[in-house]
Amino acid sequence: VFQLFYIVFQFPETAGYVGFANLPNQVHRKSVKKGFEFTLMVVGESGLGKSTLINSLFLTDLYPERYIPGAAEKIERTVQIEASTVEIEERGVKLRLTVVDTPGYGDAINSQDCFKTIIQYIDNQFERYLHDESGLNRRHIVDNRVHCCFYFISPFGHGLKPLDVEFMKAIHSKVNIVPVIAKADTLTLKERDRLKRRILDEIAEHGIKIYQLPDADSDEDEEFKEQTRVLKASIPFAVIGSNQLIEVKGKKIRGRLYPWGVVEVENPEHNDFLKLRTMLVTHMQDLQEVTQDLHYENFRSERLKRSGRNVEEDVMDKDQILLQKEAELRRMHQMIAHMQRKDWPRPRSPPHRTPPYKPTSSCDEDCSVVDIPLYKAIDDFVFKTIHPSTNHVAAHGPPS
């Protein structure tokens, strides 16, 4: 038995080995069994190919019966939120992917408040997760928080539009933003590089925080380090999308057919589609961690701080009201004491008095029917009206 024990712990690769070196395998099996959840939001003006790119990324059709409104309908149309969830399985690993689309963004004549609906949706998902996390049953919490936002930039301008700047500044503290140049096949290579530099300069100028890829660790292999460097240099990603299969040289590929040739979707020399997909897949866990540790924690701290401030304000309001009542009470008693010393009427003469009582002043003439026992009644009435706390009266008596 001792010899078998020595063999097992000296040679971990033998069958039946049990030790803390197997912990990563246990975590891996548990994660694979549980599956993964990821929420991707796509935002951009209509006609930039958002739906086509999403279908190309995940090789699925999320919008089989998509309705495209006309120009007249877009005039008064508001931004809508459409969330589509699909279960993807690859080599036994399950991914619950939720794609949040925002039709109507930037289509109206007045687009000043068109992104408020999007911000409200992001905050609602944080609020729902906070509520579930604070509940009794926390075993099966569904994570619908937005982990990443692909923001599509039009290739036809000379950089960012005012709407692009305002929207990214409004959400950069709530979600990871990945800028994407849509329909990159309309640009030459020089135009594409110039537009990328212009967009990055404007993002830095306006203080917009986009998602930054983490640096590769020193113990990573050179291939992964080079891949990380290339991905960082490719931001913003200039991509194209297509759901059509075209036969080129006896091989079917996804691309776009033009009179002058074929643009291949998965050709890194034509666009950054493969780089965008690689970034999303290899850094999906980091996107979730940044959402949890940075954006969600900021929302949670602000939410709790706001709740605490409301409680303090309520206490201050109650104390202020009590002080005002006390001051009013003192003022009324001072006024009554002043009236008693000067202008309060004398008691009515007894009925057996022979000479009739003659008032000596106008006040006596108006108030000659007042009896002395009424002093205490008025005093008690004023005190109880302004200061209704009978416990205070019983414990301390009326103030002097």
Side-chain angles (χ1 to χ4, degrees):
V1 175
F2 177 78
Q3 184 177 5
L4 179 61
F5 176 83
Y6 176 80
I7 292 176
V8 168
F9 281 87
Q10 285 294 322
F11 303 98
E13 65 274 5
T14 57
Y17 169 74
V18 178
F20 62 85
N22 273 333
L23 290 178
N25 297 332
Q26 299 175 22
V27 175
H28 173 74
R29 288 194 300 267
K30 185 176 180 180
S31 300
V32 170
K33 182 179 179 180
K34 181 180 178 181
F36 299 91
E37 297 174 334
F38 191 80
T39 301
L40 174 66
M41 175 178 281
V42 290
V43 183
E45 299 177 0
S46 300
L48 293 181
K50 302 186 298 295
S51 304
T52 303
L53 179 66
I54 295 301
N55 291 335
S56 302
L57 277 174
F58 301 103
L59 299 179
T60 183
D61 189 7
L62 289 176
Y63 313 99
E65 299 179 357
R66 187 68 177 270
Y67 171 72
I68 301 178
E73 299 179 53
K74 292 181 180 180
I75 295 178
E76 299 295 336
R77 189 183 184 188
T78 58
V79 179
Q80 300 176 350
I81 301 295
E82 296 181 359
S84 304
T85 303
V86 60
E87 299 282 347
I88 302 176
E89 184 173 354
E90 180 181 350
R91 297 179 182 178
V93 180
K94 296 180 180 180
L95 173 65
R96 179 180 175 271
L97 175 67
T98 301
V99 178
V100 181
D101 199 358
T102 56
Y105 173 82
D107 291 344
I109 296 178
N110 184 6
S111 301
Q112 183 177 1
D113 300 330
C114 67
F115 50 81
K116 288 187 176 180
T117 305
I118 302 174
I119 296 176
Q120 183 179 2
Y121 177 83
I122 297 174
D123 290 340
N124 288 343
Q125 304 312 309
F126 281 147
E127 188 71 33
R128 180 181 300 178
Y129 190 86
L130 177 62
H131 179 268
D132 294 342
E133 191 181 42
S134 305
L136 297 177
N137 185 11
R138 306 195 306 171
R139 294 175 58 87
H140 305 288
I141 299 178
V142 179
D143 187 7
N144 287 323
R145 296 172 297 179
V146 180
H147 303 108
C148 181
C149 175
F150 284 174
Y151 187 75
F152 286 73
I153 302 171
S154 174
F156 308 118
H158 299 283
L160 297 177
K161 298 180 181 180
L163 180 61
D164 302 333
V165 174
E166 293 299 323
F167 175 75
M168 287 193 285
K169 287 175 65 175
I171 70 165
H172 68 169
S173 61
K174 302 176 181 292
V175 68
N176 301 309
I177 302 176
V178 177
V180 175
I181 301 176
K183 296 190 173 183
D185 50 338
T186 61
L187 303 170
T188 64
L189 295 180
K190 291 184 178 180
E191 291 174 343
R192 185 180 67 183
D193 295 339
R194 184 166 59 248
L195 182 59
K196 283 188 174 185
R197 290 194 299 268
R198 179 69 178 271
I199 291 175
L200 289 178
D201 292 341
E202 292 181 348
I203 286 176
E205 178 184 354
H206 293 283
I208 300 173
K209 301 175 184 179
I210 61 176
Y211 174 68
Q212 300 292 336
L213 296 175
D215 297 329
D217 297 333
S218 57
D219 56 348
E220 298 286 352
D221 54 10
E222 294 299 327
E223 182 180 357
F224 183 77
K225 292 180 180 179
E226 178 65 17
Q227 180 189 83
T228 304
R229 186 191 65 80
V230 172
L231 292 179
K232 286 186 175 183
S234 301
I235 298 175
F237 299 97
V239 299
I240 63 173
S242 177
N243 297 326
Q244 297 180 353
L245 292 177
I246 302 174
E247 187 172 350
V248 178
K249 297 179 181 180
K251 184 174 62 173
K252 289 186 177 182
I253 61 172
R254 284 185 301 146
R256 304 181 70 88
L257 179 62
Y258 292 98
W260 44 264
V262 177
V263 177
E264 301 178 17
V265 172
E266 298 182 357
N267 190 338
E269 297 181 357
H270 293 179
N271 68 102
D272 298 332
F273 175 83
L274 281 182
K275 298 175 184 176
L276 178 63
R277 187 172 67 181
T278 302
M279 185 280 301
L280 184 62
V281 173
T282 57
H283 294 84
M284 185 175 291
Q285 182 64 28
D286 185 69
L287 288 167
Q288 292 177 329
E289 291 178 356
V290 173
T291 301
Q292 169 68 29
D293 300 336
L294 180 62
H295 302 305
Y296 173 68
E297 286 300 323
N298 289 340
F299 172 84
R300 181 174 175 273
S301 61
E302 288 294 330
R303 183 73 170 79
L304 296 178
K305 187 186 302 182
R306 188 165 62 248
S307 300
R309 184 169 63 250
N310 290 340
V311 173
E312 294 176 358
E313 290 177 355
D314 292 341
V315 174
M316 292 178 61
D317 292 342
K318 292 179 180 178
D319 294 341
Q320 187 69 20
I321 292 174
L322 184 59
L323 292 175
Q324 292 176 357
K325 288 184 176 181
E326 295 284 355
E328 183 70 16
L329 182 63
R330 288 193 297 269
R331 188 181 67 83
M332 293 296 295
H333 278 281
Q334 291 175 0
M335 183 177 65
I336 293 175
H338 181 73
M339 293 171 61
Q340 290 176 347
R341 287 195 303 268
K342 291 186 176 181
D343 298 331
W344 199 260
R346 293 187 296 272
R348 187 174 53 189
S349 57
H352 62 273
R353 186 174 180 178
T354 305
Y357 174 72
K358 296 183 179 180
T360 59
S361 65
S362 60
C363 180
D364 292 337
E365 186 175 352
D366 295 336
C367 308
S368 59
V369 295
V370 178
D371 292 324
I372 292 178
L374 191 59
Y375 292 142
K376 190 175 184 304
I378 295 177
D379 190 25
D380 294 341
F381 175 78
V382 172
F383 184 80
K384 292 179 181 180
T385 302
I386 300 178
H387 198 296
S389 176
T390 56
N391 295 332
H392 180 83
V393 176
H396 306 284
S400 57

